[in-house]
Amino acid sequence: MNILLTGGAGYIGACTALFILKLNPNFKCIIIDKEETQNIKKLQILFPNNIKFYKIDMCRMDLLETVFNDTKVDGVIHFAAYTIVSESEKETYKYFHNNINSTLNLLELMKKYAVSNLIFSSSASVYGVAEYLPIDEDHPLKPVSTYAISKKICEDLILKYSERGINYVILRYFNPAGAIDGIGEEHNPETHLIPLLIRSMLEGNIFKIFGNDFPTPDGTCIRDFIHIEDLANAHFLSLRKLLGEEIKNEIFNVGINNGYSVMEVVLKAIEMFKGKVNKNFRYIIDSRREGDVPALVAKANKIKNKLGFYPKYTIEDILQSVWNYESQKIST
Ligand code: UDP
């Protein structure tokens, strides 16, 4: 099987490629990305015969077409997107242009080359401010940020192209975190809670909690954290069922059906790593960050029932894996 992973040099894409190839030594992963990151080098070392990498901008239809010309693709997992919510508020054109045009080009080429199986990385942010919790897939879609709107538009494009023979699974991620086999979060700039918290604990910096006046029990935001290996597995299960024609045209939340507040995560990490934390570490309450919604927790029954997806990992597993990953970076 030849699986095309767009944005496969990034955190979630590379972890998914790793997960798929570990289970399926006969699969080939064709990876497209604007950047050639360390993750590509790691994957090429681990799987020298299974990775084909193209450094291209998917907004260039002519370049993207070379990939479809070169190889018969059996299924596509479309991760490629700009993903920083705060940046998207300042760079509206950049986010809409990149996220939407890359998806449109991909869909058009999938149609042209009769590639019918697509898994799309969507986001819980398409729901906007939760009207009830936990959030099921039928919750109204009221995306707030430019990033979230771009994901919603891409979902709509996919729905339209499904009338032209493309079978999709849309995965709405809640909060992916954690590391596997030396691949962890390396966004630039990093904005996510768990890597920033663990880095502060190791390096002895001040960690800022953005707001404690939200309408939640302790006033800090609540999120549903999903381990990256579980998320990779959700992609693999979707792919297997799509390729086997057991499902088509489905939308699934991917979370663990359980939320933790930012304060709970901070206190849990302090408890777990006491004795090892840099003595200069401390946390403070800062003002709210623009665009943050109070609580996002997935109702994740649908993916359990239709894909047999059961997350294996806990918040403690996530924190431990990020601690190991970040400690390793410091020691090398
Ligand atoms: N957060 C925080 N301090 C940080 C980074 C994040 O308090 O340095 C909070 C953020 O305000 C949000 C939660 O942690 O309430 C999760 O943020 P993250 O960026 O990890 O994910 P998001 O839910 O925004 O996609």
Side-chain angles (χ1 to χ4, degrees), residues 116-148:
S116 50
N117 300 307
L118 173 68
I119 298 164
F120 177 61
S121 299
S122 191
S123 158
S125 65
V126 296
Y127 296 116
V129 179
E131 292 178 10
Y132 55 84
L133 290 173
I135 301 171
D136 57 26
E137 289 85 354
D138 296 324
H139 184 286
L141 303 183
K142 295 184 184 164
V144 179
S145 68
T146 301
Y147 163 72

PDB file of all heavy atoms in Angstrom, residues 116-148:
ATOM      1  N   SER A 116      -9.345   7.445  -3.943  1.00  0.00           N
ATOM      2  CA  SER A 116     -10.640   7.704  -3.299  1.00  0.00           C
ATOM      3  C   SER A 116     -10.622   7.789  -1.779  1.00  0.00           C
ATOM      4  O   SER A 116     -11.617   8.187  -1.185  1.00  0.00           O
ATOM      5  CB  SER A 116     -11.661   6.665  -3.756  1.00  0.00           C
ATOM      6  OG  SER A 116     -11.127   5.398  -3.608  1.00  0.00           O
ATOM      7  N   ASN A 117      -9.518   7.432  -1.124  1.00  0.00           N
ATOM      8  CA  ASN A 117      -9.558   7.364   0.348  1.00  0.00           C
ATOM      9  C   ASN A 117      -8.805   8.514   1.003  1.00  0.00           C
ATOM     10  O   ASN A 117      -7.599   8.653   0.818  1.00  0.00           O
ATOM     11  CB  ASN A 117      -8.947   6.038   0.818  1.00  0.00           C
ATOM     12  CG  ASN A 117      -9.718   4.865   0.266  1.00  0.00           C
ATOM     13  OD1 ASN A 117     -10.928   4.785   0.424  1.00  0.00           O
ATOM     14  ND2 ASN A 117      -9.025   3.966  -0.426  1.00  0.00           N
ATOM     15  N   LEU A 118      -9.526   9.287   1.797  1.00  0.00           N
ATOM     16  CA  LEU A 118      -8.926  10.467   2.423  1.00  0.00           C
ATOM     17  C   LEU A 118      -9.234  10.519   3.915  1.00  0.00           C
ATOM     18  O   LEU A 118     -10.391  10.410   4.324  1.00  0.00           O
ATOM     19  CB  LEU A 118      -9.477  11.741   1.776  1.00  0.00           C
ATOM     20  CG  LEU A 118      -9.059  13.064   2.442  1.00  0.00           C
ATOM     21  CD1 LEU A 118      -7.561  13.321   2.268  1.00  0.00           C
ATOM     22  CD2 LEU A 118      -9.852  14.233   1.876  1.00  0.00           C
ATOM     23  N   ILE A 119      -8.173  10.736   4.699  1.00  0.00           N
ATOM     24  CA  ILE A 119      -8.355  11.035   6.124  1.00  0.00           C
ATOM     25  C   ILE A 119      -7.886  12.467   6.337  1.00  0.00           C
ATOM     26  O   ILE A 119      -6.787  12.833   5.897  1.00  0.00           O
ATOM     27  CB  ILE A 119      -7.540  10.055   6.993  1.00  0.00           C
ATOM     28  CG1 ILE A 119      -8.054   8.642   6.753  1.00  0.00           C
ATOM     29  CG2 ILE A 119      -7.638  10.430   8.472  1.00  0.00           C
ATOM     30  CD1 ILE A 119      -7.134   7.581   7.221  1.00  0.00           C
ATOM     31  N   PHE A 120      -8.716  13.256   6.988  1.00  0.00           N
ATOM     32  CA  PHE A 120      -8.402  14.680   7.142  1.00  0.00           C
ATOM     33  C   PHE A 120      -8.242  15.037   8.615  1.00  0.00           C
ATOM     34  O   PHE A 120      -9.074  14.686   9.446  1.00  0.00           O
ATOM     35  CB  PHE A 120      -9.519  15.531   6.530  1.00  0.00           C
ATOM     36  CG  PHE A 120      -9.313  17.010   6.720  1.00  0.00           C
ATOM     37  CD1 PHE A 120      -8.194  17.635   6.192  1.00  0.00           C
ATOM     38  CD2 PHE A 120     -10.226  17.767   7.435  1.00  0.00           C
ATOM     39  CE1 PHE A 120      -7.981  19.006   6.379  1.00  0.00           C
ATOM     40  CE2 PHE A 120     -10.028  19.131   7.623  1.00  0.00           C
ATOM     41  CZ  PHE A 120      -8.892  19.742   7.092  1.00  0.00           C
ATOM     42  N   SER A 121      -7.156  15.781   8.894  1.00  0.00           N
ATOM     43  CA  SER A 121      -6.890  16.291  10.241  1.00  0.00           C
ATOM     44  C   SER A 121      -7.724  17.519  10.490  1.00  0.00           C
ATOM     45  O   SER A 121      -7.362  18.606  10.065  1.00  0.00           O
ATOM     46  CB  SER A 121      -5.453  16.812  10.332  1.00  0.00           C
ATOM     47  OG  SER A 121      -4.527  15.863  10.105  1.00  0.00           O
ATOM     48  N   SER A 122      -8.825  17.335  11.185  1.00  0.00           N
ATOM     49  CA  SER A 122      -9.573  18.520  11.586  1.00  0.00           C
ATOM     50  C   SER A 122      -9.358  18.754  13.078  1.00  0.00           C
ATOM     51  O   SER A 122      -8.467  18.137  13.684  1.00  0.00           O
ATOM     52  CB  SER A 122     -11.053  18.383  11.217  1.00  0.00           C
ATOM     53  OG  SER A 122     -11.707  19.626  11.390  1.00  0.00           O
ATOM     54  N   SER A 123     -10.140  19.617  13.643  1.00  0.00           N
ATOM     55  CA  SER A 123      -9.834  20.096  14.985  1.00  0.00           C
ATOM     56  C   SER A 123     -11.109  20.369  15.762  1.00  0.00           C
ATOM     57  O   SER A 123     -12.113  20.823  15.182  1.00  0.00           O
ATOM     58  CB  SER A 123      -9.033  21.397  14.825  1.00  0.00           C
ATOM     59  OG  SER A 123      -9.117  22.180  15.974  1.00  0.00           O
ATOM     60  N   ALA A 124     -11.048  20.123  17.063  1.00  0.00           N
ATOM     61  CA  ALA A 124     -12.194  20.437  17.928  1.00  0.00           C
ATOM     62  C   ALA A 124     -12.511  21.928  17.900  1.00  0.00           C
ATOM     63  O   ALA A 124     -13.612  22.328  18.281  1.00  0.00           O
ATOM     64  CB  ALA A 124     -11.888  19.999  19.354  1.00  0.00           C
ATOM     65  N   SER A 125     -11.557  22.729  17.424  1.00  0.00           N
ATOM     66  CA  SER A 125     -11.811  24.175  17.385  1.00  0.00           C
ATOM     67  C   SER A 125     -12.944  24.520  16.414  1.00  0.00           C
ATOM     68  O   SER A 125     -13.497  25.619  16.486  1.00  0.00           O
ATOM     69  CB  SER A 125     -10.538  24.938  17.003  1.00  0.00           C
ATOM     70  OG  SER A 125     -10.149  24.610  15.697  1.00  0.00           O
ATOM     71  N   VAL A 126     -13.328  23.601  15.530  1.00  0.00           N
ATOM     72  CA  VAL A 126     -14.458  23.901  14.627  1.00  0.00           C
ATOM     73  C   VAL A 126     -15.767  24.043  15.399  1.00  0.00           C
ATOM     74  O   VAL A 126     -16.722  24.652  14.913  1.00  0.00           O
ATOM     75  CB  VAL A 126     -14.644  22.851  13.490  1.00  0.00           C
ATOM     76  CG1 VAL A 126     -13.459  22.836  12.552  1.00  0.00           C
ATOM     77  CG2 VAL A 126     -14.942  21.467  14.032  1.00  0.00           C
ATOM     78  N   TYR A 127     -15.822  23.527  16.635  1.00  0.00           N
ATOM     79  CA  TYR A 127     -17.054  23.647  17.426  1.00  0.00           C
ATOM     80  C   TYR A 127     -17.194  25.044  18.043  1.00  0.00           C
ATOM     81  O   TYR A 127     -18.296  25.441  18.420  1.00  0.00           O
ATOM     82  CB  TYR A 127     -17.080  22.604  18.547  1.00  0.00           C
ATOM     83  CG  TYR A 127     -17.124  21.169  18.053  1.00  0.00           C
ATOM     84  CD1 TYR A 127     -16.080  20.291  18.313  1.00  0.00           C
ATOM     85  CD2 TYR A 127     -18.203  20.707  17.315  1.00  0.00           C
ATOM     86  CE1 TYR A 127     -16.114  18.977  17.863  1.00  0.00           C
ATOM     87  CE2 TYR A 127     -18.251  19.389  16.855  1.00  0.00           C
ATOM     88  CZ  TYR A 127     -17.197  18.531  17.136  1.00  0.00           C
ATOM     89  OH  TYR A 127     -17.236  17.242  16.686  1.00  0.00           O
ATOM     90  N   GLY A 128     -16.085  25.756  18.204  1.00  0.00           N
ATOM     91  CA  GLY A 128     -16.137  27.073  18.859  1.00  0.00           C
ATOM     92  C   GLY A 128     -16.381  26.933  20.352  1.00  0.00           C
ATOM     93  O   GLY A 128     -15.956  25.955  20.968  1.00  0.00           O
ATOM     94  N   VAL A 129     -17.084  27.895  20.934  1.00  0.00           N
ATOM     95  CA  VAL A 129     -17.364  27.850  22.374  1.00  0.00           C
ATOM     96  C   VAL A 129     -18.424  26.776  22.616  1.00  0.00           C
ATOM     97  O   VAL A 129     -19.505  26.815  22.015  1.00  0.00           O
ATOM     98  CB  VAL A 129     -17.865  29.218  22.886  1.00  0.00           C
ATOM     99  CG1 VAL A 129     -18.182  29.166  24.369  1.00  0.00           C
ATOM    100  CG2 VAL A 129     -16.818  30.292  22.599  1.00  0.00           C
ATOM    101  N   ALA A 130     -18.089  25.799  23.484  1.00  0.00           N
ATOM    102  CA  ALA A 130     -18.994  24.656  23.674  1.00  0.00           C
ATOM    103  C   ALA A 130     -20.345  25.094  24.219  1.00  0.00           C
ATOM    104  O   ALA A 130     -20.417  25.847  25.182  1.00  0.00           O
ATOM    105  CB  ALA A 130     -18.347  23.656  24.631  1.00  0.00           C
ATOM    106  N   GLU A 131     -21.395  24.598  23.584  1.00  0.00           N
ATOM    107  CA  GLU A 131     -22.752  24.891  24.084  1.00  0.00           C
ATOM    108  C   GLU A 131     -23.166  23.850  25.106  1.00  0.00           C
ATOM    109  O   GLU A 131     -24.079  24.049  25.890  1.00  0.00           O
ATOM    110  CB  GLU A 131     -23.734  24.938  22.908  1.00  0.00           C
ATOM    111  CG  GLU A 131     -23.448  26.131  22.013  1.00  0.00           C
ATOM    112  CD  GLU A 131     -24.354  26.220  20.783  1.00  0.00           C
ATOM    113  OE1 GLU A 131     -25.341  25.466  20.679  1.00  0.00           O
ATOM    114  OE2 GLU A 131     -24.047  27.065  19.920  1.00  0.00           O
ATOM    115  N   TYR A 132     -22.509  22.684  25.080  1.00  0.00           N
ATOM    116  CA  TYR A 132     -22.709  21.649  26.102  1.00  0.00           C
ATOM    117  C   TYR A 132     -21.467  20.763  26.094  1.00  0.00           C
ATOM    118  O   TYR A 132     -20.693  20.769  25.127  1.00  0.00           O
ATOM    119  CB  TYR A 132     -23.976  20.827  25.813  1.00  0.00           C
ATOM    120  CG  TYR A 132     -24.013  20.198  24.436  1.00  0.00           C
ATOM    121  CD1 TYR A 132     -23.397  18.974  24.177  1.00  0.00           C
ATOM    122  CD2 TYR A 132     -24.657  20.839  23.368  1.00  0.00           C
ATOM    123  CE1 TYR A 132     -23.429  18.393  22.907  1.00  0.00           C
ATOM    124  CE2 TYR A 132     -24.688  20.275  22.097  1.00  0.00           C
ATOM    125  CZ  TYR A 132     -24.072  19.047  21.877  1.00  0.00           C
ATOM    126  OH  TYR A 132     -24.092  18.486  20.622  1.00  0.00           O
ATOM    127  N   LEU A 133     -21.292  20.031  27.195  1.00  0.00           N
ATOM    128  CA  LEU A 133     -20.142  19.127  27.323  1.00  0.00           C
ATOM    129  C   LEU A 133     -20.629  17.750  27.782  1.00  0.00           C
ATOM    130  O   LEU A 133     -21.591  17.677  28.535  1.00  0.00           O
ATOM    131  CB  LEU A 133     -19.143  19.663  28.368  1.00  0.00           C
ATOM    132  CG  LEU A 133     -18.357  20.921  28.002  1.00  0.00           C
ATOM    133  CD1 LEU A 133     -17.559  21.393  29.211  1.00  0.00           C
ATOM    134  CD2 LEU A 133     -17.421  20.686  26.820  1.00  0.00           C
ATOM    135  N   PRO A 134     -19.963  16.659  27.389  1.00  0.00           N
ATOM    136  CA  PRO A 134     -18.926  16.615  26.368  1.00  0.00           C
ATOM    137  C   PRO A 134     -19.511  16.890  24.982  1.00  0.00           C
ATOM    138  O   PRO A 134     -20.701  16.732  24.768  1.00  0.00           O
ATOM    139  CB  PRO A 134     -18.386  15.185  26.492  1.00  0.00           C
ATOM    140  CG  PRO A 134     -19.506  14.383  27.066  1.00  0.00           C
ATOM    141  CD  PRO A 134     -20.296  15.313  27.925  1.00  0.00           C
ATOM    142  N   ILE A 135     -18.620  17.276  24.064  1.00  0.00           N
ATOM    143  CA  ILE A 135     -19.040  17.710  22.735  1.00  0.00           C
ATOM    144  C   ILE A 135     -19.143  16.490  21.812  1.00  0.00           C
ATOM    145  O   ILE A 135     -18.161  15.767  21.648  1.00  0.00           O
ATOM    146  CB  ILE A 135     -17.990  18.685  22.161  1.00  0.00           C
ATOM    147  CG1 ILE A 135     -17.843  19.906  23.082  1.00  0.00           C
ATOM    148  CG2 ILE A 135     -18.344  19.091  20.746  1.00  0.00           C
ATOM    149  CD1 ILE A 135     -16.680  20.812  22.706  1.00  0.00           C
ATOM    150  N   ASP A 136     -20.336  16.263  21.258  1.00  0.00           N
ATOM    151  CA  ASP A 136     -20.439  15.171  20.276  1.00  0.00           C
ATOM    152  C   ASP A 136     -20.278  15.737  18.864  1.00  0.00           C
ATOM    153  O   ASP A 136     -20.176  16.952  18.685  1.00  0.00           O
ATOM    154  CB  ASP A 136     -21.764  14.405  20.441  1.00  0.00           C
ATOM    155  CG  ASP A 136     -22.976  15.316  20.312  1.00  0.00           C
ATOM    156  OD1 ASP A 136     -22.867  16.364  19.640  1.00  0.00           O
ATOM    157  OD2 ASP A 136     -24.024  14.994  20.893  1.00  0.00           O
ATOM    158  N   GLU A 137     -20.295  14.841  17.896  1.00  0.00           N
ATOM    159  CA  GLU A 137     -20.021  15.271  16.516  1.00  0.00           C
ATOM    160  C   GLU A 137     -21.164  16.101  15.933  1.00  0.00           C
ATOM    161  O   GLU A 137     -20.989  16.769  14.911  1.00  0.00           O
ATOM    162  CB  GLU A 137     -19.731  14.066  15.614  1.00  0.00           C
ATOM    163  CG  GLU A 137     -18.397  13.384  15.860  1.00  0.00           C
ATOM    164  CD  GLU A 137     -18.411  12.345  16.990  1.00  0.00           C
ATOM    165  OE1 GLU A 137     -19.467  12.229  17.675  1.00  0.00           O
ATOM    166  OE2 GLU A 137     -17.394  11.672  17.197  1.00  0.00           O
ATOM    167  N   ASP A 138     -22.349  16.050  16.586  1.00  0.00           N
ATOM    168  CA  ASP A 138     -23.483  16.840  16.088  1.00  0.00           C
ATOM    169  C   ASP A 138     -23.555  18.232  16.707  1.00  0.00           C
ATOM    170  O   ASP A 138     -24.475  19.005  16.403  1.00  0.00           O
ATOM    171  CB  ASP A 138     -24.804  16.103  16.381  1.00  0.00           C
ATOM    172  CG  ASP A 138     -24.875  14.793  15.637  1.00  0.00           C
ATOM    173  OD1 ASP A 138     -24.378  14.746  14.491  1.00  0.00           O
ATOM    174  OD2 ASP A 138     -25.384  13.808  16.203  1.00  0.00           O
ATOM    175  N   HIS A 139     -22.621  18.534  17.584  1.00  0.00           N
ATOM    176  CA  HIS A 139     -22.588  19.874  18.190  1.00  0.00           C
ATOM    177  C   HIS A 139     -22.486  20.919  17.071  1.00  0.00           C
ATOM    178  O   HIS A 139     -21.764  20.718  16.080  1.00  0.00           O
ATOM    179  CB  HIS A 139     -21.362  19.963  19.116  1.00  0.00           C
ATOM    180  CG  HIS A 139     -21.253  21.238  19.883  1.00  0.00           C
ATOM    181  ND1 HIS A 139     -20.873  22.431  19.296  1.00  0.00           N
ATOM    182  CD2 HIS A 139     -21.467  21.524  21.192  1.00  0.00           C
ATOM    183  CE1 HIS A 139     -20.860  23.384  20.213  1.00  0.00           C
ATOM    184  NE2 HIS A 139     -21.214  22.854  21.375  1.00  0.00           N
ATOM    185  N   PRO A 140     -23.199  22.068  17.197  1.00  0.00           N
ATOM    186  CA  PRO A 140     -23.098  23.091  16.141  1.00  0.00           C
ATOM    187  C   PRO A 140     -21.652  23.523  15.888  1.00  0.00           C
ATOM    188  O   PRO A 140     -20.833  23.526  16.814  1.00  0.00           O
ATOM    189  CB  PRO A 140     -23.904  24.267  16.717  1.00  0.00           C
ATOM    190  CG  PRO A 140     -24.772  23.685  17.764  1.00  0.00           C
ATOM    191  CD  PRO A 140     -24.094  22.463  18.290  1.00  0.00           C
ATOM    192  N   LEU A 141     -21.363  23.846  14.631  1.00  0.00           N
ATOM    193  CA  LEU A 141     -20.018  24.294  14.259  1.00  0.00           C
ATOM    194  C   LEU A 141     -20.005  25.813  14.200  1.00  0.00           C
ATOM    195  O   LEU A 141     -20.638  26.406  13.313  1.00  0.00           O
ATOM    196  CB  LEU A 141     -19.615  23.712  12.903  1.00  0.00           C
ATOM    197  CG  LEU A 141     -19.637  22.185  12.798  1.00  0.00           C
ATOM    198  CD1 LEU A 141     -19.140  21.743  11.419  1.00  0.00           C
ATOM    199  CD2 LEU A 141     -18.787  21.531  13.883  1.00  0.00           C
ATOM    200  N   LYS A 142     -19.298  26.431  15.158  1.00  0.00           N
ATOM    201  CA  LYS A 142     -19.198  27.891  15.161  1.00  0.00           C
ATOM    202  C   LYS A 142     -17.751  28.287  15.401  1.00  0.00           C
ATOM    203  O   LYS A 142     -17.393  28.818  16.468  1.00  0.00           O
ATOM    204  CB  LYS A 142     -20.101  28.483  16.260  1.00  0.00           C
ATOM    205  CG  LYS A 142     -21.582  28.241  16.017  1.00  0.00           C
ATOM    206  CD  LYS A 142     -22.441  28.918  17.060  1.00  0.00           C
ATOM    207  CE  LYS A 142     -23.918  28.589  16.848  1.00  0.00           C
ATOM    208  NZ  LYS A 142     -24.728  28.916  18.026  1.00  0.00           N
ATOM    209  N   PRO A 143     -16.881  27.970  14.416  1.00  0.00           N
ATOM    210  CA  PRO A 143     -15.453  28.239  14.617  1.00  0.00           C
ATOM    211  C   PRO A 143     -15.198  29.720  14.838  1.00  0.00           C
ATOM    212  O   PRO A 143     -15.845  30.555  14.216  1.00  0.00           O
ATOM    213  CB  PRO A 143     -14.825  27.754  13.302  1.00  0.00           C
ATOM    214  CG  PRO A 143     -15.940  27.759  12.307  1.00  0.00           C
ATOM    215  CD  PRO A 143     -17.188  27.476  13.079  1.00  0.00           C
ATOM    216  N   VAL A 144     -14.228  30.024  15.698  1.00  0.00           N
ATOM    217  CA  VAL A 144     -13.961  31.419  16.063  1.00  0.00           C
ATOM    218  C   VAL A 144     -12.708  31.942  15.356  1.00  0.00           C
ATOM    219  O   VAL A 144     -12.750  32.948  14.660  1.00  0.00           O
ATOM    220  CB  VAL A 144     -13.802  31.537  17.600  1.00  0.00           C
ATOM    221  CG1 VAL A 144     -13.488  32.982  17.995  1.00  0.00           C
ATOM    222  CG2 VAL A 144     -15.069  31.057  18.313  1.00  0.00           C
ATOM    223  N   SER A 145     -11.593  31.257  15.502  1.00  0.00           N
ATOM    224  CA  SER A 145     -10.328  31.778  14.955  1.00  0.00           C
ATOM    225  C   SER A 145     -10.240  31.536  13.452  1.00  0.00           C
ATOM    226  O   SER A 145     -10.953  30.687  12.895  1.00  0.00           O
ATOM    227  CB  SER A 145      -9.148  31.097  15.645  1.00  0.00           C
ATOM    228  OG  SER A 145      -9.120  29.735  15.282  1.00  0.00           O
ATOM    229  N   THR A 146      -9.322  32.263  12.823  1.00  0.00           N
ATOM    230  CA  THR A 146      -9.072  32.058  11.387  1.00  0.00           C
ATOM    231  C   THR A 146      -8.670  30.601  11.137  1.00  0.00           C
ATOM    232  O   THR A 146      -9.117  29.964  10.180  1.00  0.00           O
ATOM    233  CB  THR A 146      -7.944  33.001  10.928  1.00  0.00           C
ATOM    234  OG1 THR A 146      -8.364  34.336  11.197  1.00  0.00           O
ATOM    235  CG2 THR A 146      -7.637  32.846   9.456  1.00  0.00           C
ATOM    236  N   TYR A 147      -7.822  30.082  12.024  1.00  0.00           N
ATOM    237  CA  TYR A 147      -7.394  28.677  11.894  1.00  0.00           C
ATOM    238  C   TYR A 147      -8.614  27.756  11.886  1.00  0.00           C
ATOM    239  O   TYR A 147      -8.763  26.892  11.011  1.00  0.00           O
ATOM    240  CB  TYR A 147      -6.450  28.320  13.052  1.00  0.00           C
ATOM    241  CG  TYR A 147      -6.279  26.843  13.235  1.00  0.00           C
ATOM    242  CD1 TYR A 147      -5.549  26.094  12.319  1.00  0.00           C
ATOM    243  CD2 TYR A 147      -6.882  26.175  14.307  1.00  0.00           C
ATOM    244  CE1 TYR A 147      -5.419  24.720  12.473  1.00  0.00           C
ATOM    245  CE2 TYR A 147      -6.759  24.814  14.463  1.00  0.00           C
ATOM    246  CZ  TYR A 147      -6.025  24.087  13.551  1.00  0.00           C
ATOM    247  OH  TYR A 147      -5.913  22.725  13.705  1.00  0.00           O
ATOM    248  N   ALA A 148      -9.499  27.941  12.882  1.00  0.00           N
ATOM    249  CA  ALA A 148     -10.659  27.053  13.014  1.00  0.00           C
ATOM    250  C   ALA A 148     -11.587  27.203  11.808  1.00  0.00           C
ATOM    251  O   ALA A 148     -12.115  26.209  11.296  1.00  0.00           O
ATOM    252  CB  ALA A 148     -11.393  27.358  14.316  1.00  0.00           C
TER     253      ALA A 148
END
